[in-house]
Structure formats: C-alpha cells, structure tokens
Amino acid sequence: MSAIPPASWPAAKIVGRLAGDPALAARVSEALGRLQDALARYPDAAFASSFGAEDMVLLDLLERLGAAVDAFTLDTGRLPEETHALMQAARTRYRLRVRAVAPDAAELEAFVAAHGPNPFYDSVALRKRCCEVRKLRPLARALAGKTLWITGLRREQSPTRGEVEVLARDQVHGLMKLNPLADWSAGDVGRYVGAFDVPVNALHARGFPSIGCAPCTRAVTPGEHERAGRWWWEAPEQRECGLHVAPDGRLVRSRGPVQAAGAGG
Ligand code: SF4
C-alpha cells in the first residue's frame, strides 16, 4: 500500500496524474467539481461510507482535496471481517478518519430477543425492521444537523438506482444529497482504484461487487447486475435497505442547484 497522500492536492494535480486515461480524467475532473461546488455551498457535510469501492474512491478524493467532512460508516454488527480489515487499513492510508456509528444497544438487544439473530430470511418486514434498527436509525443520528450527505451511489448499480441524480433533496433527512459518481461505470471506479492504488475490500475479487452485511450478501454470477447479491432471496424491487429511499418508496431524483449550474450528470 502506498504512503499517505499529501494533505491537500489541487484538483488539477489529481487530474494530471490521469493524463494517460483522458476519459477517466474527465470523470474525475467532473466529480471533483461536484464535490467542491457542493462543499462550498453546504459546508456542514457528512460522507457516509460503506467501504465499497465507490466509497473508497470518494475517500481518496476527499483526502486529496483536504476536505473537511464528517466521514462515518454504519457498523451494523453483522459486517464481514473483510470490511473491518479494510476499515483498519484505511486508518493507515488516510488522515481522514471514518468513524463507526453503531446501533442503539438497548434497541438492538430488544430486537434480537424478540426475533432472534437471523430473522431477515423469514419475511421482508423483519428484514426491513433489522435494517431499521441496525442502519436507518443510526444513519438518522449521524445525519442530524447536517446540510449535505455525500454517497457513492451509481446509476448502473441496480434497477432501483437507475435514476439517481447527482444532487437531490433528501426529504427523509431534510438535507441535500450528493452522489458525485452517479454517472460512473464500474470500469471507471476500477481504473481510479488502479491509478491511485486505493485499498479496496478483498471480497470484490471473490465475486462481491456490492458488499453489505455478511448474512445478506452473496457473490454474483456473470451477467447479474452489481447488487444482485444483496438480499438475493427477495424480489428485485424490494432490495434496498431504506437508506436511499424516499418516504413513498422511490429513490429521490429531483435536480438541485449544483446540477442546474452545470456540474451535474
Ligand atoms: Fe440486518 Fe441484513 Fe439489513 Fe444488515 S443487511 S441490517 S443483517 S437485514
């Protein structure tokens, strides 16, 4: 793993490192513009990382920009060991710390006492309740008081994410949500990871393009979409944990001011 990058790089220097890949350089330039514009407009920002490859690209970009963001991850208590190993590696590689946000202990104990440790296979309702206790409520706590939520969502990840916007109002949490990599392909992410030697989850190389909790994630087979291994036993339209879903069940897609200013996808 390479040394910690300088605390702050000019955007031009970051893009300049990609002179041999002009298509990726253009993607990175656009993503940096989106980040810089949104951080200037909404300074009280939070970056929610699941330690997927997209989130590692964003962590790398934010570190190189020297951005002041509150970076956090939802440590549900059911994450794979490989994700914890990456969390540890990121502490060595980056100055920007990603704090772990845990479920409320009393609420989790009550849920497990009532339904057991693995109720998510029994019904969609219990699976969503588990996600609520382990993810949604901790997320709401982490985002309280913030004005901007940065995520690594990409449109091509799954049928439920096909209309993700670069910048949108999140009605559930009452803030703006920025998806700087919304129009990136998996290939763009992989080429950035290679160009900057970004550490990634070891499970990606074993057929897991999207990684969540261990009991709710399996490897995908050739031809399946990237998130086919998440809650694979459920119907495709039900396979979101609720982190990125509007009150009516749809993904938020309204356009925001950064996108209107030409920085969107
Ligand atoms: Fe629970 Fe599975 Fe949701 Fe994780 S992904 S919070 S284990 S239902």
Side-chain angles (χ1 to χ4, degrees):
M1 188 179 300
S2 63
I4 293 175
S8 179
W9 286 23
K13 183 177 178 184
I14 302 172
V15 174
R17 283 273 296 267
L18 300 168
D21 187 343
L24 181 60
R27 283 272 192 242
V28 171
S29 179
E30 195 170 40
L32 287 169
R34 291 165 176 169
L35 283 167
Q36 290 175 310
D37 288 351
L39 288 169
R41 194 181 298 252
Y42 308 103
D44 201 355
F47 165 45
S49 171
S50 68
F51 285 91
E54 294 81 4
D55 293 329
M56 293 310 296
V57 169
L58 285 176
L59 179 60
D60 197 84
L61 288 172
L62 290 167
E63 171 94 1
R64 291 177 192 278
L65 285 175
V69 298
D70 175 20
F72 70 89
T73 191
L74 302 176
D75 192 344
T76 64
R78 303 302 300 266
L79 298 179
E81 173 54 29
E82 290 84 353
T83 302
H84 282 138
L86 179 57
M87 290 166 65
Q88 195 70 33
R91 293 177 62 87
T92 303
R93 169 67 181 262
Y94 299 107
R95 293 178 179 83
L96 181 55
R97 287 282 180 266
V98 182
R99 65 187 177 93
V101 178
D104 177 82
E107 191 175 16
L108 181 57
E109 284 180 13
F111 177 73
V112 173
H115 303 291
N118 291 347
F120 20 79
Y121 304 126
D122 294 342
S123 71
V124 173
L126 279 174
R127 194 274 291 169
K128 289 187 175 180
R129 177 68 182 141
C130 184
C131 284
E132 181 183 355
V133 171
R134 293 182 187 272
K135 293 182 177 180
L136 301 189
R137 291 179 182 272
L139 175 71
R141 286 204 316 270
L143 292 179
K146 303 297 182 188
T147 54
L148 182 71
W149 173 17
I150 302 169
T151 89
L153 291 184
R154 289 187 300 106
R155 292 176 191 138
E156 72 166 34
Q157 284 172 321
S158 76
T160 57
R161 297 187 173 184
E163 296 183 337
V164 164
E165 294 287 3
V166 171
L167 188 71
R169 179 79 185 165
D170 184 282
Q171 302 293 352
V172 174
H173 300 95
L175 44 54
M176 297 304 294
K177 185 172 175 183
L178 179 70
N179 308 303
L181 310 183
D183 49 359
W184 283 40
S185 68
D188 295 332
V189 173
R191 299 205 314 287
Y192 184 97
V193 165
F196 289 101
D197 192 23
V198 176
V200 294
N201 197 311
L203 287 174
H204 290 317
R206 291 182 230 154
F208 292 75
S210 176
I211 303 163
C213 292
C216 299
T217 308
R218 66 157 170 75
V220 302
T221 56
E224 286 187 309
H225 67 73
E226 294 178 37
R227 288 176 59 84
R230 305 290 297 277
W231 309 287
W232 67 92
W233 63 92
E234 295 183 358
E237 66 275 13
Q238 294 170 324
R239 294 181 196 173
E240 289 288 348
C241 57
L243 295 181
H244 303 291
V245 179
D248 62 0
R250 293 178 297 105
L251 289 179
V252 177
R253 55 171 305 212
S254 59
R255 289 179 181 273
V258 169
Q259 202 171 40

